[in-house]
Amino acid sequence: MAPPDKPARSSRSQGGSKPRSSGKPTGSGKSTRSDKPRGTGKSDASGKPRAPRKPAGKAFGKDQRSAKPDRSAKPDRSRTPREGAPRETSPRDASASRVPHIPDEITGKEIDRRVAAELRTLPEGLAEQVARLLVATSIYLAEDPELALQFANEAKRKAGRVSVVREAAGRAAYAAGDFAEALSELRAVRRMTGSDEDLAIMADCERGLGRPRKALELLASVPEKSLSEETAIECRIVGAGARCDLGQPEAALLLLQIPALTQRRTEPWLARLRYAYADTLLALGRVQEARTWFERAAAVDEDDSTDAGDRLAELDGVTFEGDWLGAGEDED
């Protein structure tokens, strides 16, 4: 299943650095330099974890435009885990597991074909319920990870033996900053499917739990040539983050110096790769080079999956304080 959507600002940074706490995931969804691990989400070279990657294909619907609910009301982010350590979790009792109302415009037909095929193993009515829950999970993943996690956990309660459901639960937990739960769910998916496509997220969860060496061991356990191009790139980004966690930015930079970095590509992972490279350069004190690569990352970041533009502004000395006053108004 493709990675989940960008969490708040912290989560979107380079997947290679230390896991960041969500603020990725990256809400507006922009990743920032806070402390949460990766795209599948994205950590940055400063050692912060990255946000989960944008959900696509498998367990999420491909075209959700017709299903998106009204987002005029901003989600409450006060409950989003911040800065570094995984959030504390308490046993989910009956009241905590109550699933919120799924917007009526979500029918479940938005789901990807491969996911729909897996759901056919369920009774017809149940398959439709689970499909709607998975689409809702995907829609809210970037803007309200905690809400997305509630939808995903309800889908798991109804169909916990379906691999795409467990994967959705793992990715939602990752976006919400619950790295221990995310790792547990994605390990289960790996056992069920034999697939290594969630390897980068799993390694980033290890980083989020303060175990960068375990992250590197996990990445080294799978030959890069056996992975898809996207997953291989994401693994390098997370690996670079783990190296930075260990105080080895030079080694991190070497991991990211690959041909794809300078090629003309349109893949969504390119912005994250360049962002990670820029962040690592900055960690090495190579400010002007870092600025160049933040600029190159921003130029290809069509999905706004990183906060490269904000980092450029910071390097240029631009700061934003207080509330926007509007043109022609002065502060008292």
Side-chain angles (χ1 to χ4, degrees), residues 19-20 35-38 42-43 49-51 174 179 204 207-208:
R20 315 179 164 192
D35 263 342
K36 166 181 182 177
R38 143 162 192 57
K42 314 165 187 178
S43 14
R50 58 186 294 177
Y174 173 68
F179 306 128
D204 210 32
R207 293 184 58 228

Side-chain angles (χ1 to χ4, degrees), residues 22-257:
S22 162
K24 130 229 220 220
T26 117
S28 67
K30 290 188 176 179
S31 59
T32 69
R33 290 162 297 164
S34 51
D35 263 342
K36 166 181 182 177
R38 143 162 192 57
T40 102
K42 314 165 187 178
S43 14
D44 67 16
S46 56
K48 316 294 183 185
R50 58 186 294 177
R53 294 170 288 180
K54 183 175 184 178
K58 223 173 166 190
F60 300 83
K62 280 187 174 177
D63 183 359
Q64 301 156 358
R65 287 173 295 179
S66 62
K68 290 189 178 180
D70 177 12
R71 295 176 176 171
S72 54
K74 302 245 182 195
D76 176 10
R77 299 201 179 285
S78 61
R79 295 169 299 156
T80 304
R82 306 278 178 188
E83 291 305 316
R87 61 175 181 170
E88 294 182 5
T89 56
S90 56
R92 291 187 174 85
D93 57 22
S95 61
S97 65
R98 286 181 300 186
V99 65
H101 173 70
I102 302 174
D104 294 337
E105 57 267 37
I106 295 178
T107 65
K109 294 179 180 179
E110 306 86 355
I111 209 73
D112 181 271
R113 288 182 184 177
R114 290 169 295 176
V115 180
E118 286 202 47
L119 296 184
R120 288 194 193 105
T121 60
L122 302 173
E124 185 175 351
L126 180 59
E128 180 181 341
Q129 294 177 40
V130 173
R132 294 184 69 212
L133 287 164
L134 292 180
V135 173
T137 298
S138 180
I139 288 175
Y140 287 101
L141 196 59
E143 296 186 359
D144 194 341
E146 296 287 344
L147 180 58
L149 184 57
Q150 291 182 52
F151 285 122
N153 282 334
E154 179 65 8
K156 176 184 169 183
R157 188 184 69 78
K158 293 176 177 293
R161 294 185 180 182
V162 179
S163 64
V164 292
V165 172
R166 299 293 292 274
E167 188 173 17
R171 287 174 180 261
Y174 173 68
D178 191 340
F179 306 128
E181 180 177 349
L183 188 58
S184 176
E185 292 296 333
L186 295 177
R187 281 173 175 165
V189 173
R190 196 182 189 195
R191 289 193 298 270
M192 295 165 78
T193 66
S195 172
D196 291 314
E197 289 304 298
D198 288 318
L199 188 67
I201 298 180
M202 294 170 67
D204 210 32
C205 286
E206 293 286 11
R207 293 184 58 228
L209 293 168
R211 304 188 297 230
R213 293 189 186 281
K214 281 201 170 185
L216 292 172
E217 290 172 4
L218 178 59
L219 294 172
S221 69
V222 179
E224 188 175 74
K225 63 182 179 181
S226 70
L227 302 172
S228 67
E229 181 181 36
E230 177 182 11
T231 300
I233 295 292
E234 297 290 355
C235 284
R236 280 184 173 265
I237 294 174
V238 174
R243 289 294 178 189
C244 285
D245 296 345
L246 295 170
Q248 303 168 0
E250 295 86 356
L253 198 66
L254 287 174
L255 274 175
L256 301 171
Q257 289 175 339

